[in-house]
Amino acid sequence: MNHDEMVARQVLVLARQITRRRNQHLRTVGLTTEQADALVFFTDHPKQTVTAFKTRQGITHQTARLIVQRLQARGYVQLVVSLTDARAKQVVVTASGRAKRAQLRQHGWQTSAQMFAHLDEQQQQLFLDLLRQVNQNLESDEN
């Protein structure tokens, strides 16, 4: 195995560990991955539409609507008619949805803290900078 394969393999192992932890946490808070992603999107991008979420996630409009409907049924979001376009409905996160989002954020911080447990601040920043650069390299290679 050459160096590139070893690095790629370690990145995949890390991604799987993070995904496994996230999925375990989502089960405990009663959300699917898709619902969690939607809740994060609508909390971080207030008053967006289902169409904006669909575009961001690269999913069909029907799938996006179903995800939002499930969040709405649980009381995490509500649909409000847009003040600028009466045909559009904006997704607004409720207090309950913001509390659920806070749980997701807290778990993310706990995972990061565990990942960086034996790294000093400079090493953590270097790791993040290198990850960003590697992602940019791969993205620019796709275009």
Side-chain angles (χ1 to χ4, degrees), residues 3-4 7 9 11 19 23-24 34 44-45 51 59 66 72-74 96 101 104 110 114 128 135 141-143:
H3 179 69
D4 292 337
V7 170
R9 175 82 177 123
V11 171
T19 300
N23 289 340
Q24 287 173 341
E34 294 79 11
D44 293 352
H45 302 90
T51 301
I59 57 178
L66 287 171
Q72 186 178 20
R74 293 171 155 216
S96 177
R101 172 62 174 110
L104 298 174
Q110 290 169 348
Q114 191 169 8
L128 291 172
N135 281 321
D141 189 47
E142 290 176 355
N143 298 326

Side-chain angles (χ1 to χ4, degrees), residues 91-102:
V91 180
V92 178
V93 179
T94 64
S96 177
R98 286 190 298 278
K100 189 63 70 172
R101 172 62 174 110

